[in-house]
């Protein structure tokens, strides 16, 4: 009797499906979810740990993609199979179809976005200073994601039966109006791409734009920010930067230094001939430098002028200043030893003696 009652209960029909059908659908759902969980914990996690020890990173990206997108796709598939086992009304079938379409579309959009991000990161990381360049991908990926989501949603609405042609045409007309109203913003956006791909400077570079200088802190979609030497933040639009002459001192492999020394006219000929050789020997004592030349260059208004040139084999400003300081101290030391006097602006006034005598007689 109890068995008969159970059979009668299982044979009852609700919404065109028996109770047994509902139990079978629930069983499919539970068994499917349990199998997916076991697969993820036992199989997938072991494979992920194994790929972490390999020399290549491609397998890591593949397994990460399976974990992030493959597992959710399996859940959606099991849910669809379980629900689809039941006899659904036309309206519920339509709702189920729409829900699955939306879920699959979102997964595909995220998969494409993640794949593009991985490709861009791999490409940028392979370049010089790749890790610094990877930090600048945020603005680019924001634009790429907006484009991918827009295209994905257009396909989604098209598959759902909506007429997207009129919508796209309307967006085209609206896009022209927006472009005309936001020319400066779009100009900065396109110049962001110029900066990103042409690489005139990068985060961490010391640059000079006209009379402004500082270290690049951030390169954004519209603006680029610098930290000045005095500590404040300088904000430039990307269009201003691409239209200006930018001096990038981070790219400088060595620094050319020209300096001058002046001595008084009373300096002896021997010392005048000795000074270029003396300066050369002092420069060559320093490291890391490369001597170029030293000459008696000109007769000044109140001095004999010497000009010297050397290269500091470093782009660091502090290194250049340390070297120049040592050279200045050594020149001062050697000039004092030899009694050579540095020149400073002077003016000598000569008074004629005849004129003095004539003035005395008149008095």
């Amino acid at each position: 009797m109890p068995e008969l009652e159970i059979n009668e209960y299982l044979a009852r029909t609700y919404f065109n499906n028996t109770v047994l059908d509902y139990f079978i659908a629930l069983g499919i759902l539970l068994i499917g979810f349990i199998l997916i969980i076991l697969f993820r914990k036992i199989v997938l996690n072991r494979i992920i740990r194994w790929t972490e020890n390999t020399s290549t990173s491609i397998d890591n990206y593949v397994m990460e993609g399976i974990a992030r997108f493959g597992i959710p796709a399996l859940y959606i598939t099991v849910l669809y199979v379980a629900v689809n086992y039941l006899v659904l009304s036309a309206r519920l079938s339509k709702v189920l179809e729409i829900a699955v379409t939306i879920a699959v579309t979102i997964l595909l959009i995220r998969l494409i976005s993640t794949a593009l991000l991985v490709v861009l990161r791999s490409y940028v990381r392979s370049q010089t200073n790749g890790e610094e360049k990877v930090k600048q991908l945020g603005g680019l990926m924001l634009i790429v994601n907006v484009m991918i989501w827009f295209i994905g949603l257009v396909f989604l609405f098209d598959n759902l039966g909506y007429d997207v042609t009129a919508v796209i045409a309307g967006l085209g007309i609206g896009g022209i109006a927006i472009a005309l109203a936001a020319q400066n913003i779009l100009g900065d956006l396109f110049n962001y791409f110029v900066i990103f791909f042409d690489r005139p400077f990068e985060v961490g570079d010391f640059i000079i734009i006209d009379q402004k200088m500082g270290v690049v802190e951030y390169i954004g979609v519209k603006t680029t920010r610098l930290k000045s030497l005095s500590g404040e933040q300088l904000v430039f639009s990307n269009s201003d930067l691409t239209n200006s002459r930018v001096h990038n001192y981070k790219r400088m492999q060595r620094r050319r230094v020209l300096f001058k020394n002046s001595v008084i006219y009373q300096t002896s000929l021997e010392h005048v001939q000795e000074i270029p050789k003396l300066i050369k020997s002092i420069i060559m004592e320093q490291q890391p430098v490369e001597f170029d030349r030293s000459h008696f260059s000109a007769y000044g208004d109140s001095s004999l002028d010497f000009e010297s040139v050397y290269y500091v084999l470093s782009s660091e400003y502090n290194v250049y200043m340390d070297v120049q300081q040592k050279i200045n101290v050594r020149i001062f030391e050697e000039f004092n030893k030899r009694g050579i006097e540095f020149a400073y602006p002077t003016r000598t006034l000569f008074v004629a003696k005849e004129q003095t005598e004539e003035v005395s007689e008149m008095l």
Side-chain angles (χ1 to χ4, degrees):
M1 189 67 179
E3 182 178 352
L4 181 60
E5 292 180 356
I6 293 174
N7 291 333
E8 289 180 355
Y9 175 75
L10 293 177
R12 292 178 182 177
T13 302
Y14 299 95
F15 302 106
N16 301 322
N17 294 282
T18 63
V19 174
L20 180 61
D21 291 333
Y22 288 114
F23 277 117
I24 293 175
L26 181 61
I28 294 174
L29 189 65
L30 293 176
I31 293 173
F33 281 9
I34 292 172
L35 290 177
I36 293 172
I37 293 172
L38 293 176
F39 170 76
R40 185 182 61 185
K41 291 185 176 181
I42 299 175
V43 179
L44 189 61
N45 288 342
R46 289 184 179 181
I47 297 176
I48 291 175
R49 286 194 296 268
W50 174 75
T51 56
E52 290 175 353
N53 298 323
T54 59
S55 58
T56 180
S57 59
I58 297 178
D59 50 5
N60 295 335
Y61 296 141
V62 172
M63 299 311 301
E64 182 182 354
I66 294 175
R68 293 185 60 183
F69 307 107
I71 297 299
L74 289 176
Y75 279 118
I76 294 173
T77 302
V78 171
L79 180 61
Y80 177 78
V81 171
V83 176
N84 200 48
Y85 176 80
L86 302 174
V87 178
L88 303 176
S89 64
R91 185 174 182 180
L92 287 177
S93 297
K94 186 65 176 179
V95 171
L96 178 62
E97 182 181 351
I98 292 174
V100 171
T101 303
I102 293 174
V104 171
T105 302
I106 292 175
L107 280 178
L108 286 176
I109 291 173
R110 292 183 60 196
L111 176 62
I112 294 172
S113 175
T114 303
L116 283 176
L117 178 60
V118 169
V119 171
L120 282 174
R121 281 180 176 173
S122 301
Y123 170 73
V124 172
R125 192 175 280 115
S126 63
Q127 299 178 352
T128 306
N129 298 326
E131 292 301 327
E132 290 294 332
K133 297 178 183 178
V134 168
K135 298 177 183 179
Q136 304 172 27
L137 282 175
L140 179 61
M141 284 309 304
L142 174 63
I143 298 169
V144 172
N145 280 331
V146 169
M147 296 176 61
I148 292 175
W149 276 94
F150 174 75
I151 295 173
L153 291 176
V154 168
F155 278 106
L156 173 62
F157 288 122
D158 184 58
N159 290 330
L160 293 178
Y162 294 96
D163 184 12
V164 298
T165 305
V167 176
I168 294 175
L171 289 175
I173 297 173
I176 294 174
I178 293 173
L180 292 174
Q183 294 182 50
N184 293 334
I185 297 176
L186 293 177
D188 291 330
L189 175 61
F190 284 115
N191 284 307
Y192 166 77
F193 287 107
V194 172
I195 294 172
F196 184 83
F197 289 106
D198 192 47
R199 320 304 301 185
F201 53 82
E202 300 170 2
V203 173
D205 288 2
F206 180 82
I207 62 176
I208 297 179
I209 305 98
D210 297 330
Q211 302 299 321
K212 306 296 183 180
M213 64 184 72
V215 178
V216 180
E217 280 191 327
Y218 173 78
I219 301 175
V221 175
K222 188 178 188 307
T223 61
T224 296
R225 302 165 196 170
L226 277 64
K227 177 73 75 175
S228 71
L229 296 178
S230 54
E232 72 272 15
Q233 188 178 72
L234 303 175
V235 181
F236 295 88
S237 68
N238 293 332
S239 298
D240 288 342
L241 291 176
T242 54
N243 292 330
S244 302
R245 291 176 175 85
V246 179
H247 299 261
N248 191 338
Y249 283 88
K250 187 68 175 294
R251 305 285 176 87
M252 182 172 57
Q253 300 300 318
R254 60 180 189 171
R255 184 187 296 268
R256 184 178 185 270
V257 182
L258 183 149
F259 68 95
K260 296 182 179 182
N261 301 101
S262 299
V263 298
I264 61 175
Y265 267 97
Q266 289 75 16
T267 304
S268 66
L269 175 62
E270 291 78 11
H271 284 159
V272 170
Q273 293 175 335
E274 181 186 9
I275 286 175
K277 299 177 183 178
L278 178 61
I279 294 177
K280 177 181 178 180
S281 64
I282 291 174
I283 292 175
M284 294 183 68
E285 292 175 2
Q286 313 305 320
Q287 292 295 334
V289 300
E290 179 182 317
F291 175 77
D292 185 18
R293 62 180 178 83
S294 182
H295 294 95
F296 173 29
S297 60
Y299 293 96
D301 292 337
S302 57
S303 62
L304 304 175
D305 299 332
F306 294 82
E307 185 177 88
S308 304
V309 177
Y310 69 95
Y311 293 92
V312 178
L313 306 181
S314 172
S315 62
E316 296 294 332
Y317 187 80
N318 286 345
V319 174
Y320 149 65
M321 287 303 300
D322 290 341
V323 170
Q324 187 62 48
Q325 176 178 260
K326 293 178 182 177
I327 291 174
N328 290 337
V329 171
R330 288 285 292 120
I331 290 175
F332 191 88
E333 180 183 356
E334 294 298 330
F335 277 22
N336 281 344
K337 286 181 182 179
R338 291 164 173 77
I340 302 173
E341 297 184 29
F342 291 97
Y344 49 87
T346 58
R347 177 173 293 179
T348 304
L349 179 63
F350 294 95
V351 180
K353 184 177 181 182
E354 294 180 357
Q355 293 179 352
T356 305
E357 292 177 353
E358 290 178 0
V359 172
S360 299
E361 290 177 359
M362 291 177 65
L363 294 175

